[in-house]
Structure formats: structure tokens, C-alpha cells
Amino acid sequence: MNLMLMLFFSGIVACCGNSTGNPLSRLLLVSFDGFRADYLKTYELPHLQEFIEDGVLVRQVTNTFITKTFPNHYSIVTGLYEESHGMVANDMYDADAQKTFSQFNDSDPFWWNEAVPIWVTNQQGNRASAAAMWPGTDVKIHNTTPQFFMKYNFSVTFEERVEKIVTWLNSSNPPVSFATLYWEEPDASGHKYGPDNTKNMRKVLEQVDNHIGFLTSKLKALGLWDTVNVIITSDHGMAPCSAKKLIILDGCIGRNNYTLIDKSPVAAVLPRQNKTYVYNLLKNCNDHMKVYLKEEIPERFHYRHNKRIQPIILVADEGWTIVQNESLSKLGDHGYDNALPSMHPFLAAHGPAFHRGYKQSRMNNVDIYPMMCHILGLTPQPHNGTFRNAKCLLVDQWCINLPEAIGIVIGALIVLTTFTCIIIISKNRIPSPHPFSRLQLQDDDDDPLIG
Ligand SMILES: [Zn+2]
């Protein structure tokens, strides 16, 4: 009896330890920086399309505000809004600690320790994580780096990054169950040429697509294609900007009144003296710039409750650039309102945990974290994501696709109504019998039949 119970419970553990029933699910998370969702429709990307046809696609991913690189990469791997994980901008200042953060000075764990990224949680069992340049993976967050990682260096080619990652995925002890891979394009070209410069963007997106082809061929050659789950996504999109759409702060306020901590298109302002005075000058500066006191920042941005968010925040309208007085050196930018479609990336995924040929219109980037934890069989840290939003992508989940469900209900109602109408009409056409009409007797019928 005891033996039978043991077998029963070990069966449950084996079945429900992770999403695939496999004792070790593996997951590779890939980001192509600044890959706007609609590039998928505008450009021919045969390798990515093939990946999608054999997997799943989320056409638009709503990212977190502000739609910048460091904040969104950290939201993807923690499932937290920026106010909760503390990586609130690419340039930050912490008044209490008197520390500054920038992309050139990003390795102090102080900035990262307000959250626990998935690669740290993943290493708490007998598993390892590996990383090729995903932001933060070369920092000792909670005293831990991925067991295998590369120090960030933009001059390392994509192929070199992939070679490292597949080697780690294939031959490590303890096994590498979670890996990340990061590439700087098409973001760099989007800034340089603007996202609407189809000639140059086509060129860079062809390269990105070839990189995807290289990655999939490597995975296939090493026998990892059918066993490793792969997510390809991005941190944000890109909007065209121009020198004709400048918001010049020097025309509104003297520089000695404030310190500019973070710049366009969401500028973080630390007043040096009277906050109200600085606020009022900025408030009336330009119609294409919203000015918020920290406590007035709209709730939907989830961008208020962190001391690294500065007392005054300026948000430029799409395509506009906030400068003090400098000229504009780029034709594309991001960071704007995260409700704008131009700021949204996409998500595609392939592997044993995912359906084949399934597409859905939206999810949030904070939903990716609980989905990844589910695939890896990890208990998630507290987060802002909703696992339900990812259920339809996964083979081991039952889900209701809302538009489909509404369609089915409406269809059923139409059939039912039509059927009822047919019954009513046909009933009305049959002459009704007179079950209780009296028998009309003739006079001569009075004769008794039986005499
Ligand atoms: Zn980016």
C-alpha cells in the first residue's frame, strides 16, 4: 500500500513539476532591441516567419512606462512595473545614496537589488542560468550572477554570443535550464535612420532575420530545436522624430533652477530650489509636453512609488524631443507613452511548451515572467503580471480565447433564434384542428342507430 502511494505521489510530481511533464524544461529568452511590432508586417522576414508558423505569435506587447531599454528588459525578467523593480530609467540619481546610474555605469548591484530576476531564482535549485549580454546579467544581483555569463561588450558579434549560449545549453553540469541572449539591433539603426526609412530599416531587419536563421540552425544542428523553448521578443518600438519637433527647455527656464537627471522623451527634473516655481515655468513651456508633479503622474503608468522617480516628470508627445538647447542627432526615439502602438514590440515563441500556429493580439510584458516561471516549474516572486494572459500560448493550459468565445456564443444564439423562428412559422401555417368542436347533427340523424 505504501509503495502504491509513493508511486502515486511521485507520478503527480513528475506530471506537474513543470509544464511539459519533462523533468527539465529549458528556456532561451532572446531580445532584439527596439524591434517594433509592425516591422513584422512591413518587411519580409522569412526566418522569423518560419519560427512563428511553427510556434506562437503575440502581435503587440504592451511594455512598461517609460519605454526605455534598461527598465523594460528588467520588467520582462521580473514581471514588475518600473516603480516596483526600481530600474526607472536609463539615467538615474538616488538622492539618499547620492549615486548615479547610466548605461556606462550600470554594474553597482545597488540599482538592481530591489527585484529578483528569473535567472537568480532559477539557480536556487540544482540548475544553472546562462546569459549573453542581457542587461543586468553581468551584475551580482543579490550576490549572484548567472553561472555562465559574458561581460557586456557591444563589439562581440551575434554569432559569438550564440556559440556561447548553445554550448552552455548543451553541455553543463548542473544543467542550464534558463538562458538569455541580447542583440543591439534594430534599435541602433532605428535611432540613426528613423523607423520609417524603409531602405535602411529593410537592410538591418534582413540582418536581424539572418541572425534568427543562424540561431535556429545552430539549435537544430545540436539537437536542441525540439527540446528547448525559445522566446523572441523586444523591449520597445521606435517613433520617428525630427529637428522640427523640439521642445527647448532653455527658452522656458534657467538651467540654474534644476538638474536634468534623465532626458528625452521622458525627462526627469530635480528642482534645485522652489519646486512649485520650477513646475509652473515648465507647465507653460510647450503644448507638446506634459508636465507632472510626481504625485500627479497618471495611475496607468504605474510610475510613482519609487524614490528614484524625480519630483517633476516631463513627457513629450509622440515624435517630439525635449532638449535644453542642443541640436538633434537622431531620427528615431522611444521612451514615450506605453499606450502608443509605435512603442510596442512583439513576442514569438517556439518549443515543446508552446502551441504551433497560434496567434493572439496582445499581452503585457510583465505577463512574460509568470509564463516563464510556469515553463521552468519555478515559484514566481511577487509580480505585476497575469499568467492567464499567456495561457492560450501554452499546450498544457486550457484557455478561453475571448474573441473566439464571443463568436461562438453569438453564432449559437443566431442558430437558436433561427430554429425557434422556423418552428413558430411552421406551427402557424398548419390549420389548427378543432378538438372540442361539437358534432353537427342533422335532423334525420336523430334516428336511433340501434333500434
Ligand atoms: Zn532598447
Side-chain angles (χ1 to χ4, degrees):
M1 181 67 186
N2 281 348
L3 182 68
M4 280 181 72
L5 276 174
M6 261 175 64
L7 284 172
F8 176 71
F9 284 116
S10 62
I12 288 177
V13 170
C15 144
C16 308
N18 56 47
S19 68
T20 60
N22 187 322
L24 181 73
S25 275
R26 286 183 292 176
L27 176 63
L28 170 61
L29 172 66
V30 186
S31 168
F32 289 96
D33 198 312
F35 197 125
R36 198 169 84 176
D38 70 349
Y39 290 162
L40 264 173
K41 282 192 256 171
T42 312
Y43 301 100
E44 296 255 325
L45 305 165
H47 295 294
L48 182 52
Q49 290 299 352
E50 198 183 321
F51 181 92
I52 290 166
E53 275 157 32
D54 208 20
V56 296
L57 172 69
V58 181
R59 292 185 188 88
Q60 287 210 16
V61 173
T62 303
N63 42 1
T64 51
F65 182 82
I66 62 175
T67 51
K68 287 278 189 180
T69 299
F70 276 93
N72 271 284
H73 276 103
Y74 214 40
S75 287
I76 293 170
V77 295
T78 60
L80 292 168
Y81 297 130
E82 295 170 23
E83 65 178 7
S84 301
H85 65 54
M87 193 57 59
V88 301
N90 284 353
D91 290 277
M92 295 184 280
Y93 172 67
D94 189 296
D96 295 343
Q98 299 210 329
K99 289 185 176 195
T100 55
F101 176 94
S102 76
Q103 57 176 310
F104 310 106
N105 174 28
D106 64 356
S107 42
D108 184 344
F110 167 80
W111 296 101
W112 304 87
N113 278 345
E114 288 190 9
V116 183
I118 190 168
W119 60 79
V120 173
T121 308
N122 185 57
Q123 291 191 150
Q124 283 163 2
N126 185 33
R127 301 152 155 208
S129 302
M133 311 223 181
W134 187 281
T137 48
D138 56 359
V139 180
K140 273 195 155 191
I141 302 171
H142 298 286
N143 222 18
T144 308
T145 60
Q147 187 163 333
F148 305 95
F149 72 96
M150 304 168 87
K151 188 87 191 133
Y152 183 71
N153 177 356
F154 68 90
S155 61
V156 176
T157 66
F158 185 81
E159 287 78 5
E160 287 174 80
R161 300 180 198 194
V162 169
E163 294 285 359
K164 287 272 190 195
I165 280 292
V166 293
T167 307
W168 290 330
L169 271 171
N170 212 25
S171 62
S172 303
N173 188 20
V176 170
S177 51
F178 178 75
T180 60
L181 171 62
Y182 169 81
W183 185 241
E184 288 82 355
E185 288 282 20
D187 178 75
S189 296
H191 282 298
K192 189 175 174 187
Y193 304 113
D196 296 340
N197 182 330
T198 45
K199 189 176 156 224
N200 284 304
M201 291 312 291
R202 176 170 291 115
K203 214 179 284 175
V204 72
L205 284 158
E206 269 172 19
Q207 286 166 8
V208 165
D209 191 56
N210 286 336
H211 289 335
I212 292 170
F214 179 78
L215 172 66
T216 52
S217 66
K218 272 279 157 194
L219 291 169
K220 283 174 184 169
L222 292 166
L224 296 169
W225 177 244
D226 293 321
T227 54
V228 173
N229 296 293
V230 182
I231 295 172
I232 298 177
T233 188
S234 182
D235 49 350
H236 53 72
M238 189 71 67
C241 55
S242 88
K244 288 178 187 161
K245 293 182 175 178
L246 289 184
I247 298 159
I248 301 164
L249 297 182
D250 282 0
C252 306
I253 182 170
R255 291 192 191 188
N256 56 345
N257 289 300
Y258 69 99
T259 307
L260 198 57
I261 304 296
D262 191 23
K263 295 180 179 171
S264 194
V266 177
V269 174
L270 177 60
R272 285 199 193 145
Q273 291 132 31
N274 188 317
K275 184 170 79 173
T276 312
Y277 174 71
V278 172
Y279 172 76
N280 285 333
L281 288 178
L282 290 166
K283 187 87 183 158
N284 300 311
C285 185
N286 192 299
D287 288 345
H288 296 286
M289 178 175 81
K290 294 186 182 64
V291 181
Y292 299 110
L293 288 172
K294 181 176 179 174
E295 51 276 17
E296 294 173 347
I297 297 173
E299 193 59 49
R300 70 185 178 88
F301 287 147
H302 304 286
Y303 195 78
R304 202 188 284 169
H305 303 288
N306 194 295
K307 65 188 167 90
R308 297 172 188 170
I309 297 167
Q310 299 303 324
I312 300 172
I313 297 293
L314 319 176
V315 184
D317 286 352
E318 185 178 16
W320 287 77
T321 304
I322 301 168
V323 294
Q324 286 184 299
N325 197 16
E326 55 280 22
S327 57
L328 192 66
S329 57
K330 53 189 166 187
L331 293 174
D333 208 359
H334 55 89
Y336 301 99
D337 189 336
N338 63 334
L340 293 166
S342 64
M343 291 298 104
H344 294 163
F346 74 103
L347 179 143
H350 175 277
F354 296 101
H355 282 295
R356 290 179 166 209
Y358 179 81
K359 291 179 183 174
Q360 78 179 40
S361 53
R362 325 192 62 90
M363 73 189 285
N364 306 305
N365 75 354
V366 291
D367 304 331
I368 300 171
Y369 172 77
M371 178 176 80
M372 295 193 297
C373 288
H374 174 79
I375 291 169
L376 293 168
L378 301 175
T379 305
Q381 297 283 316
H383 60 88
N384 301 118
T386 305
F387 177 59
R388 191 178 60 245
N389 294 341
K391 275 187 169 185
C392 291
L393 307 177
L394 299 168
V395 286
D396 69 344
Q397 295 296 305
W398 188 84
C399 85
I400 297 175
N401 180 335
L402 202 59
E404 264 179 31
I406 292 170
I408 290 168
V409 170
I410 291 173
L413 282 174
I414 290 170
V415 170
L416 207 64
T417 312
T418 314
F419 193 62
T420 313
C421 287
I422 290 169
I423 289 175
I424 291 169
I425 290 165
S426 59
K427 264 195 164 179
N428 286 342
R429 275 191 184 161
I430 300 167
S432 61
H434 304 281
F436 301 113
S437 61
R438 292 180 67 86
L439 186 66
Q440 298 296 309
L441 297 176
Q442 303 293 321
D443 287 348
D444 55 347
D445 282 351
D446 286 347
D447 294 337
L449 292 174
I450 303 166

